[in-house]
Amino acid sequence: MPRWEPNPRERLERAAITLFAEQGYDATTVDEIAASAGLARSAFFRHFRDKRGVLFGGEDPMPARLADGIRNAPPEHTALQAVETAFAGIADVWFSAESRDLAPLRFSVIAASDELRERELLKRHGITEEVQKALSERGIGDPAATVAASLATLAFARTVAVWGRPGETEEFTAILSRVLGELHTAARELP
Amino acid sequence: MPRWEPNPRERLERAAITLFAEQGYDATTVDEIAASAGLARSAFFRHFRDKRGVLFGGEDPMPARLADGIRNAPPEHTALQAVETAFAGIADVWFSAESRDLAPLRFSVIAASDELRERELLKRHGITEEVQKALSERGIGDPAATVAASLATLAFARTVAVWGRPGETEEFTAILSRVLGELHTAARELP
């Protein structure tokens, strides 16, 4: 019995992702997740709508927070500087040190399921749309806002993949800054 | 009775898209589509796996043909020139004058359904992946191939949207060339 017990939501999340990784996403039931977390089935449904909700919370406010960060970035920031500032603003909550140890398992679960990979891609598209709108509101024209938003989402996906690598210790914001810079250079100097 | 009867597949496609647009995608049945095309239900299933297959053929070889076009483009072509050449090579088959009159209806059907919009996004992601692989095989490094593939897919989506606008007459390849150029400029000069 560990001295410190995480809250029920976190226990359910850890139990679910561990079971998904061990026996497959499709083969895992809500009852098994609840039992493995030492909680009742009803506790699961207090925190998540369904099994998929553990990996993709229906109302993840991250894209909206990110867009707020872009809107509120200093006016003198370029498009990609505003994107970088906004990511720095959400990193503490969405990419905390505590959630990092589960990340490799989470990624392997998503990679193993067509359904979950599709969810991930659609979620990413939602981020692109939010970023594009926020950049437009900063006065970035078309198609520059669309191109910048695509680079932002590419940078995000690459950063998350690096950040969640087993044993990786570089900070989320440091990875993001480097990756975004590389993508910007690539865009400027397309061969 | 028109003098010229399109082939059964095309009749089914026209009937389906027209019904989807009139009464909604969810509300339309395979039986209604077949009846409206003057064919038996079994004829539908000879051509399509299901209702969604009319809009998203399961085995659309377009992304693979596009990737072949990139691989076979003249070696001296830049990444985006190879992309442009490859799109020019598929336009006659996938964006023919005959299919153009159905395009506005098709787009309005897809736009009205979450499920179909998701399918469209996932299909587009498949194109990005194929283009990225083909560019890598031309020796384009990372992340340049990824950035170029994103621009290619953005250009494709915008081109299809313009090409399928009611009353629009500009050729697919001409639109693509212009849009790709605009995106390239935006990428080079990101504000």
Side-chain angles (χ1 to χ4, degrees):
Chain A
M1 192 77 172
R3 293 231 190 116
W4 176 80
E5 277 282 334
N7 64 51
R9 188 187 167 95
E10 204 180 317
R11 272 159 67 192
L12 287 161
E13 196 181 337
R14 281 179 188 269
I17 292 175
T18 306
L19 285 170
F20 293 162
E22 280 169 11
Q23 60 190 38
Y25 171 77
D26 289 331
T28 301
T29 66
V30 166
D31 284 329
E32 287 174 304
I33 296 168
S36 167
L39 293 164
R41 180 182 165 85
S42 57
F44 180 93
F45 290 109
R46 260 200 298 284
H47 295 282
F48 303 103
R49 190 193 314 202
D50 53 23
K51 201 169 69 170
R52 200 172 69 189
V54 179
L55 294 160
F56 299 98
E59 51 335 297
D60 182 1
M62 194 278 268
R65 287 294 86 72
L66 187 66
D68 287 343
I70 290 172
R71 285 186 195 96
N72 298 328
E76 68 274 18
H77 272 17
T78 65
L80 294 186
Q81 282 169 342
V83 164
E84 194 176 332
T85 300
F87 272 117
I90 59 133
D92 278 356
V93 173
W94 274 275
F95 301 93
S96 67
E98 298 79 56
S99 63
R100 192 166 189 170
D101 65 320
L102 261 190
L105 218 50
R106 177 189 289 267
F107 296 160
S108 69
V109 167
I110 293 172
S113 156
D114 286 345
E115 181 196 340
L116 298 177
R117 272 209 314 277
E118 290 190 357
R119 266 312 107 195
E120 180 77 11
L121 287 171
L122 295 169
K123 192 176 158 187
R124 218 179 278 169
H125 182 76
I127 296 174
T128 310
E129 287 190 322
E130 288 285 339
V131 168
Q132 192 259 315
K133 267 190 283 174
L135 288 172
S136 297
E137 287 172 36
R138 287 180 67 89
I140 313 280
D142 175 75
T146 305
V147 172
S150 290
L151 293 181
T153 311
L154 279 179
F156 175 64
R158 286 176 170 233
T159 299
V160 173
V162 171
W163 176 82
R165 261 193 319 228
E168 182 66 51
T169 57
E170 195 180 1
E171 295 279 348
F172 184 90
T173 48
I175 304 168
L176 192 276
S177 170
R178 180 167 47 76
V179 170
L180 195 57
E182 287 164 3
L183 290 169
H184 191 187
T185 302
R188 258 196 313 242
E189 303 170 357
L190 268 190
Chain B
M1 192 76 174
R3 292 231 190 116
W4 175 79
E5 278 281 336
N7 63 52
R9 187 186 169 97
E10 203 179 319
R11 272 159 68 192
L12 287 162
E13 196 181 338
R14 282 179 188 268
I17 293 174
T18 307
L19 285 169
F20 293 162
E22 279 169 12
Q23 60 188 38
Y25 171 75
D26 289 331
T28 301
T29 67
V30 166
D31 284 329
E32 286 174 304
I33 296 167
S36 167
L39 293 164
R41 180 183 165 85
S42 58
F44 181 94
F45 290 110
R46 257 199 301 282
H47 293 282
F48 304 104
R49 191 192 313 201
D50 54 24
K51 202 168 70 167
R52 198 172 71 190
V54 179
L55 294 160
F56 299 98
E59 51 336 294
D60 182 3
M62 193 278 268
R65 286 296 87 73
L66 187 65
D68 287 343
I70 290 172
R71 284 186 196 97
N72 298 330
E76 67 275 18
H77 272 17
T78 66
L80 294 186
Q81 283 170 342
V83 164
E84 192 176 333
T85 301
F87 272 116
I90 60 132
D92 277 357
V93 174
W94 274 275
F95 300 93
S96 67
E98 298 81 53
S99 63
R100 193 167 190 168
D101 65 320
L102 260 190
L105 218 50
R106 176 189 287 268
F107 296 158
S108 69
V109 168
I110 292 173
S113 157
D114 286 345
E115 180 196 341
L116 298 177
R117 272 208 314 278
E118 291 190 356
R119 265 312 106 193
E120 180 77 10
L121 286 171
L122 295 169
K123 192 175 156 185
R124 219 179 277 168
H125 181 77
I127 297 174
T128 310
E129 286 192 323
E130 287 285 339
V131 168
Q132 191 259 315
K133 265 189 284 175
L135 289 173
S136 297
E137 287 172 35
R138 286 180 67 87
I140 312 281
D142 174 74
T146 306
V147 172
S150 292
L151 294 181
T153 311
L154 280 178
F156 174 63
R158 288 178 168 232
T159 299
V160 172
V162 171
W163 175 82
R165 265 196 313 232
E168 181 65 52
T169 57
E170 194 181 0
E171 295 279 348
F172 185 89
T173 47
I175 304 169
L176 192 277
S177 171
R178 180 167 47 76
V179 169
L180 195 57
E182 286 164 3
L183 290 169
H184 192 189
T185 302
R188 257 194 315 239
E189 303 170 357
L190 269 190

